[in-house]
């Protein structure tokens, strides 16, 4: 289990994990990755200090309205599936 809390480096390979999440309603959503930043999480509770990617998305809804979304991807092995799923979903 200790390996699951291992910090991921910026050059590590990210693998899909077995966690399943409820999908958003079916449909096509236009989006743009506006920017990303390399950051550092200070850790909290059971989360150790580690690398973090902060990604800013611009998403266009079915009604044409655009919203900005900021997502923090914590780079530890336990949560690497989140990064893998997001990159696969974006093509």
């Amino acid at each position: 289990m200790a390996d699951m809390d291992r910090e991921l480096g910026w050059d590590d390979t990210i693998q899909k994990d077995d966690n399943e999440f409820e999908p958003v309603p079916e449909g096509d959503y236009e989006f743009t990755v506006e920017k990303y930043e390399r950051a550092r999480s200070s850790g909290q509770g059971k989360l150790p200090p580690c690398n973090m990617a902060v990604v800013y998305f611009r998403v266009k809804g079915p009604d044409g309205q655009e919203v900005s979304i900021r997502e923090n991807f914590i780079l530890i092995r336990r949560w690497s599936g989140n990064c893998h799923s997001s990159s696969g979903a974006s093509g």
Side-chain angles (χ1 to χ4, degrees):
M1 191 61 143
D3 186 53
M4 294 303 285
D5 289 327
R6 181 179 64 83
E7 176 180 8
L8 295 174
W10 290 107
D11 296 323
D12 284 349
T13 301
I14 295 173
Q15 301 173 357
K16 181 179 181 341
D17 61 10
D18 293 332
N19 291 341
E20 294 293 326
F21 295 94
E22 179 121 2
V24 297
E26 187 174 335
D28 293 328
Y29 298 90
E30 292 183 33
F31 74 93
T32 303
V33 174
E34 293 183 313
K35 65 179 179 173
Y36 75 93
E37 300 169 352
R38 291 182 177 195
R40 186 108 181 128
S41 169
S42 60
Q44 185 176 7
K46 293 183 178 183
L47 176 66
C50 56
N51 289 325
M52 176 174 69
V54 181
V55 182
Y56 297 85
F57 297 95
R58 189 86 165 142
V59 181
K60 188 174 189 177
D63 59 0
Q65 183 176 0
E66 291 188 354
V67 295
S68 292
I69 299 173
R70 173 187 157 170
E71 185 70 33
N72 296 333
F73 293 98
I74 305 297
L75 299 180
I76 60 172
R77 188 162 180 75
R78 175 187 314 240
W79 293 348
S80 63
N82 293 348
C83 294
H84 184 274
S85 296
S86 294
S87 64
S90 63

